[in-house]
């Protein structure tokens, strides 16, 4: 299958290893990965802060860039949710943008959706001999409705010790610009989440959004909890021959 990678701003700027892990994983499974160089931001930050016109322009750019893709992989639940849940609100009914979004949005996937639902695989041949706990991010849980897909993928990783996270469905407090507008509330929520993560005894916290991992991970670091963070793609790309550098 020919899969177009939408790297997202946070990954491109701060977490390039996630994109590299996605490419290694999908190529190992026998698929072609392409990277359209005209891609840019999905517009989520603009949309969430009321800049609808600017978000609409970025939506137009997105659908034009990925129009010919068999599937678009966004290794960020929040960005995938932006395209599928919010893009339909940006174009007038029947407009060119509305039609383009209706055509493309169903082909935009989070990594766990792409692997389980489209490629039909739950065992990707990964090896990750560490204790891990998983945080189901808000967009993945409530908008994409990923359900147990990430857990099914993680449970098939050889060597892993998967720990249950208490209060896993609770928001970590990041919420994009929410963390800046409501810093005290955001920090308190992050502190609660970090304490629950540390209580699992896990070495690694996993999620499908690096933005949430950045928020929780920063809190864990300040608490000196000794817990590292890893995107789902990094764990699934890890093998005995080429282990993840976490």
């Amino acid at each position: 299958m020919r899969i177009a990678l939408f790297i997202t701003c946070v990954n491109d700027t701060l977490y390039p290893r996630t994109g590299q892990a996605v490419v290694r994983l999908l190529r190992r499974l026998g698929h072609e990965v392409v990277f359209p160089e005209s891609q840019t931001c999905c517009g989520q930050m603009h949309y969430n802060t009321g800049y609808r016109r600017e978000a609409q322009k970025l939506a137009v750019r997105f659908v034009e860039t990925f129009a010919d893709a068999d599937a678009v992989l966004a290794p960020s639940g929040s960005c995938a949710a932006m395209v599928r849940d919010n893009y339909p609100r940006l174009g007038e009914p029947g407009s060119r943008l509305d039609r383009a979004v209706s055509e493309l949005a169903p082909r935009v996937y989070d990594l766990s959706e792409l692997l389980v639902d489209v490629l039909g695989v739950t065992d990707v041949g990964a090896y990750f001999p560490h204790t891990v706990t998983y945080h189901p991010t808000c967009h993945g849980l409530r908008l994409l409705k990923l359900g147990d897909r990430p857990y099914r993928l993680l449970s098939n990783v050889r060597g892993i010790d998967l720990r249950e996270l208490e209060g896993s469905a609770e928001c970590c407090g990041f919420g994009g610009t929410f963390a800046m507008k409501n810093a005290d509330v955001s920090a308190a929520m992050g502190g609660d989440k970090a304490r629950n993560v540390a209580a699992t005894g896990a070495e690694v916290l996993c999620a499908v959004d690096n933005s949430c991992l950045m928020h929780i991970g920063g809190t864990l670091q300040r608490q000196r909890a000794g817990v590292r963070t890893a995107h789902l793609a990094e764990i699934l790309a890890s093998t005995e021959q080429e282990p993840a550098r976490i």
Side-chain angles (χ1 to χ4, degrees), residues 1-4 31-34 68-72:
M1 189 176 195
R2 189 170 182 267
I3 301 164
H31 301 282
E32 179 186 2
V33 183
V34 297
D68 297 330
D70 296 333
V72 181

Side-chain angles (χ1 to χ4, degrees), residues 17-199:
R17 286 184 182 177
T18 295
Q20 294 164 358
V22 165
V23 173
R24 287 199 308 274
L25 172 61
L26 293 178
R27 285 179 175 171
R28 190 174 79 220
L29 295 175
H31 301 282
E32 179 186 2
V33 183
V34 297
F35 184 82
E37 294 187 2
S38 59
Q39 64 181 277
T40 183
C41 178
C42 70
Q44 179 183 178
M45 180 176 67
H46 309 72
Y47 184 86
N48 289 347
T49 48
Y51 292 90
R52 185 183 179 91
R53 182 177 299 175
E54 288 76 8
Q56 187 180 61
K57 291 178 180 178
L58 290 167
V60 170
R61 178 68 170 265
F62 184 95
V63 296
E64 289 177 347
T65 299
F66 293 99
D68 297 330
D70 296 333
V72 181
L73 169 61
S76 164
S78 63
C79 294
M82 173 65 188
V83 176
R84 282 169 30 190
D85 192 66
N86 291 327
Y87 274 16
R89 299 182 174 94
L90 289 173
E92 295 296 326
S95 65
R96 182 178 178 182
L97 177 58
D98 181 60
R99 295 193 302 272
V101 169
S102 297
E103 172 72 22
L104 179 61
R107 305 200 307 273
V108 177
Y109 303 98
D110 153 83
L111 178 61
S112 66
E113 291 177 308
L114 180 71
L115 292 171
V116 176
D117 298 344
V118 180
L119 304 182
V121 59
T122 56
D123 187 343
V124 299
Y127 176 73
F128 192 74
H130 302 281
T131 54
V132 177
T133 192
Y134 175 76
H135 166 61
T137 64
C138 290
H139 286 92
L141 185 67
R142 296 172 176 86
L143 294 181
L144 297 181
K145 301 186 186 303
L146 298 182
D148 68 347
R149 293 177 184 85
Y151 294 99
R152 291 162 63 189
L153 290 160
L154 287 169
S155 65
N156 281 305
V157 174
R158 289 184 299 114
I160 199 169
D161 178 1
L162 194 56
R163 305 282 179 88
E164 184 176 351
L165 176 62
E166 183 180 351
S168 61
E170 295 176 7
C171 178
C172 73
F174 178 65
T177 54
F178 174 86
M180 292 180 279
K181 293 179 178 179
N182 303 276
D184 291 341
V185 176
S186 173
M189 295 171 72
D192 289 344
K193 179 65 69 171
R195 281 188 290 275
N196 286 340
V197 169

